[in-house]
Amino acid sequence: MRPTRSDFRRAAFSAALTCGALFATTSAQALNVFTCEPEWAALVKQLAPAADVRSATHARQDPHHIEARPSLIAQLRQADLAVCTGADLEAGWLPTLQQRSGNPRVQKGAPGMLFAADHLTLIDPRPNASASDGDVHAAGNPHAHLDPRRVLEIAEVLARRLEAVDPPGASGYRSRLAAFRTDWQARIAQWERRAAPLRGMRVAAQHSTFAYVWRWLGIEQVADLEPKPGVPPTPGHLQKILDAAKGAPPRAIVVSAHQDPRAGQWLAQQLGAGATLLQLPSTVTDEPPANTLAALFDHLIERLLAAQR
Ligand SMILES: [Zn+2]
């Protein structure tokens, strides 16, 4: 018997139903993760490759200051898990997003809201800082993702959180964490060997963004281009740095990819051939050469070594 038109229609209809059911299952199962910064999105992708992960900021944005846009509120509303830095880094925008999202899964204290800084020892706590000290991070320097050893500590916490919000995925999160741990520990050892010549290098930098890198690799930050934390460089402050640095100029002037490089450029020019301006990504970028967590550390070390030579 030849199939009739209505047979075709029925077949098409049932195919559509099957497809619809498949899509529904996939979207119901894909874990939705919101991160405040790209480094946490990169880490989530390592442990939960099937998750739908979005970062609120990208490498060319300053995570201290972004706008609580409606699109971000909508993203947070959908999230099963949110991963942010904490230690007040996002104090200017995340609370607004949390409140407007109306999503109970990502409110402070819920298992779906992970602040990395709550699980780390931060450097440079400033508990007695006042408003006149600038935009000080009282709990300590929040830019802790730039220490790969602390990244591993957060990977351990993140894997447990992923399990908590997605129990059926538990064994996958555990095995991917184990693989990440082995790989990452080997990389840390390699980075430390490769970066050995950087020990004792002197740098000037704008803000405390890279302080964890300096601490980890034995680099000394001799000046901050910001007169106070979070306050942009002023001509008077730059002149003071220049006067102090003339005898023994820092080897590199470091600014972040999201900062205006002009103050650093001026200082590097005044200091002459002894000092190189380095504009470095402070997080994972969309494009190479720093588009994964490992590539970010590779890139930072290579750029610093090139400036050191
Ligand atoms: Zn900061």
Side-chain angles (χ1 to χ4, degrees):
M1 214 174 88
R2 285 172 53 203
T4 63
R5 245 187 133 120
S6 78
D7 286 333
F8 279 126
R9 241 187 251 140
R10 223 174 292 137
F13 183 58
S14 96
L17 266 186
T18 314
C19 272
L22 276 177
F23 280 123
T25 318
T26 320
S27 64
Q29 281 177 350
L31 193 70
N32 190 314
V33 185
F34 174 102
T35 74
C36 288
E37 292 85 22
E39 64 269 17
W40 306 130
L43 191 58
V44 171
K45 283 177 201 156
Q46 296 263 347
L47 301 184
D52 181 0
V53 191
R54 276 162 216 221
S55 172
T57 59
H58 56 72
R60 295 203 164 269
Q61 284 176 309
D62 181 350
H64 301 84
H65 306 288
I66 68 155
E67 213 186 306
R69 296 192 309 278
S71 59
L72 295 179
I73 296 165
Q75 277 176 32
L76 190 59
R77 186 171 295 142
Q78 305 299 322
D80 301 303
L81 173 66
V83 185
C84 296
T85 296
D88 286 345
L89 177 66
E90 303 97 350
W93 51 278
L94 183 60
T96 308
L97 294 185
Q98 285 173 300
Q99 191 212 331
R100 300 217 181 134
S101 75
N103 179 352
R105 297 184 295 278
V106 297
Q107 301 302 319
K108 204 167 164 45
M113 181 68 246
L114 172 56
F115 287 108
D118 290 352
H119 302 272
L120 293 172
T121 306
L122 302 182
I123 62 174
D124 301 330
R126 300 275 303 274
N128 301 317
S130 69
S132 66
D133 296 324
D135 195 0
V136 176
H137 303 299
N141 185 323
H143 309 291
H145 67 284
L146 287 171
D147 177 347
R149 299 162 304 180
R150 285 175 166 90
V151 169
L152 182 53
E153 289 182 55
I154 295 308
E156 309 273 350
V157 178
L158 175 60
R160 290 197 295 275
R161 273 317 162 89
L162 285 163
E163 279 185 43
V165 298
D166 180 27
S171 67
Y173 300 131
R174 272 179 224 169
S175 63
R176 282 187 291 271
L177 172 66
F180 177 78
R181 189 191 294 125
T182 306
D183 173 70
W184 200 247
Q185 282 167 339
R187 285 180 194 273
I188 290 174
Q190 275 168 18
W191 286 322
E192 289 177 353
R193 274 197 299 277
R194 180 93 182 112
L198 297 175
R199 194 154 286 280
M201 182 183 185
R202 297 166 72 254
V203 298
Q206 183 167 328
H207 196 66
S208 53
T209 308
F210 294 98
Y212 286 89
V213 180
W214 311 154
R215 187 74 66 103
W216 172 43
L217 299 177
I219 294 169
E220 188 191 352
Q221 182 172 335
V222 296
D224 193 327
L225 274 56
E226 292 181 337
K228 286 178 181 181
V231 177
T234 59
H237 181 68
L238 291 176
Q239 187 62 49
K240 266 192 228 161
I241 294 177
L242 181 61
D243 294 342
K246 267 185 176 151
R251 204 72 195 83
I253 317 292
V254 180
V255 300
S256 170
H258 64 71
Q259 286 167 331
D260 183 339
R262 282 176 297 181
Q265 267 159 2
W266 181 85
L267 192 59
Q269 271 160 16
Q270 301 298 313
L271 287 168
T276 310
L277 177 76
L278 283 182
Q279 189 159 27
L280 300 177
S282 52
T283 182
V284 176
T285 53
D286 289 340
E287 302 289 327
N291 58 335
T292 65
L293 277 168
L296 172 65
F297 287 106
D298 284 338
H299 181 70
L300 292 177
I301 289 169
E302 292 312 316
R303 296 280 304 278
L304 287 160
L305 284 167
Q308 166 81 329
R309 284 193 278 268

